[in-house]
Amino acid sequence: MSTYVQATSGDLKRALDLYGWNARASAALMVPAHFAEVTVRNAVSDALTGLYGPDWPWNQTFEGSLPGAPRGRYSPRQDLVSTRNSERTTGKVIAELKFVFWQKMFTARHDERLWDQAILTLFPHAAATTAETLRGRIYADLEAIRLLRNRIAHHEPIFTRNLADDLKRVIELVDMRCTATAGWVRAIETASTVLQERP
């Protein structure tokens, strides 16, 4: 509570109100974040299917294109291998890979092989841009969403963030891929209302 008490200059009632609102805002933001993650991972899967076929998680060339990492740090290659060892279908692998796996797919190492040819097609509603610029933007959007999701998952304060910008970023990411899905997200999300109710 100390973060909330400090933010409200020691007013316990206001601190409790802010704590409750922070929890409500966290819950509300998870709905659009859910759609952003599913949208992005499906786009990546489409790109990988086009290059490596529908069984891309088991493709050795794809596996070799992923970076390993020093022990104790995240490794996209190890994430893929351990996930596909416990799942039998591409769909299950997609659902079980970590969020950061999808984000790491938008690094420059994949430009020539994957994104230079596919990204503008897979995100057809992005404003006129180059493949490299769009890939960089998506990586940055996913980083912001990942950090937000991590704070929410650990029940941390998010009230100091620009949550309206976070929400806008999430919906725009969905919109770049599919305007119909983005319209659906706008219709069902409650975050925009909750954000206006901040005490």
Side-chain angles (χ1 to χ4, degrees):
M1 280 298 295
S2 60
T3 301
Y4 300 92
V5 171
Q6 184 177 11
T8 57
S9 302
D11 185 322
L12 186 56
K13 171 156 185 347
R14 285 179 55 221
L16 288 170
D17 289 343
L18 183 58
Y19 188 102
W21 176 86
N22 190 90
R24 289 176 54 232
S26 295
L29 285 163
M30 285 303 289
V31 172
H34 162 96
F35 283 94
E37 179 176 357
V38 171
T39 297
V40 166
R41 71 189 193 192
N42 287 344
V44 174
S45 179
D46 286 352
L48 294 174
T49 298
L51 192 59
Y52 300 108
D55 293 327
W56 59 260
W58 291 270
N59 183 285
Q60 296 303 305
T61 303
F62 173 56
E63 179 187 331
S65 75
L66 297 173
R71 192 173 189 167
R73 295 183 60 196
Y74 176 75
S75 164
R77 185 181 306 160
Q78 185 55 46
D79 191 9
L80 176 69
V81 170
S82 62
T83 302
R84 76 178 185 212
N85 285 345
S86 62
E87 302 299 340
R88 294 179 176 261
T89 67
T90 299
K92 283 294 216 172
V93 170
I94 292 168
E96 294 300 325
L97 285 167
K98 293 176 176 58
F99 184 94
V100 69
F101 177 89
W102 305 109
Q103 180 189 11
K104 295 293 186 186
M105 287 303 302
F106 288 90
T107 56
R109 76 180 297 123
H110 299 292
D111 279 352
E112 185 176 344
R113 181 183 315 102
L114 198 65
W115 298 126
D116 288 351
Q117 295 78 29
I119 199 165
L120 296 175
T121 301
L122 292 167
F123 293 89
H125 306 289
T129 187
T130 65
E132 182 181 1
T133 301
L134 179 56
R135 192 263 309 148
R137 177 191 171 175
I138 293 172
Y139 183 90
D141 287 347
L142 292 173
E143 175 69 1
I145 295 167
R146 186 182 67 79
L147 293 174
L148 175 64
R149 287 172 77 251
N150 286 351
R151 292 199 66 79
I152 290 171
H154 292 284
H155 312 295
E156 295 287 334
I158 61 169
F159 67 87
T160 58
R161 293 178 61 94
N162 184 339
L163 297 175
D165 184 63
D166 286 329
L167 178 60
K168 179 175 180 279
R169 183 185 297 251
V170 166
I171 294 175
E172 285 181 355
L173 183 54
V174 177
D175 200 32
M176 289 191 297
R177 169 92 164 137
C178 179
T179 56
T181 303
W184 184 30
V185 174
R186 288 184 182 97
I188 66 172
E189 64 87 10
T190 59
S192 54
T193 300
V194 173
L195 296 185
Q196 294 174 4
E197 296 170 351
R198 177 174 172 157

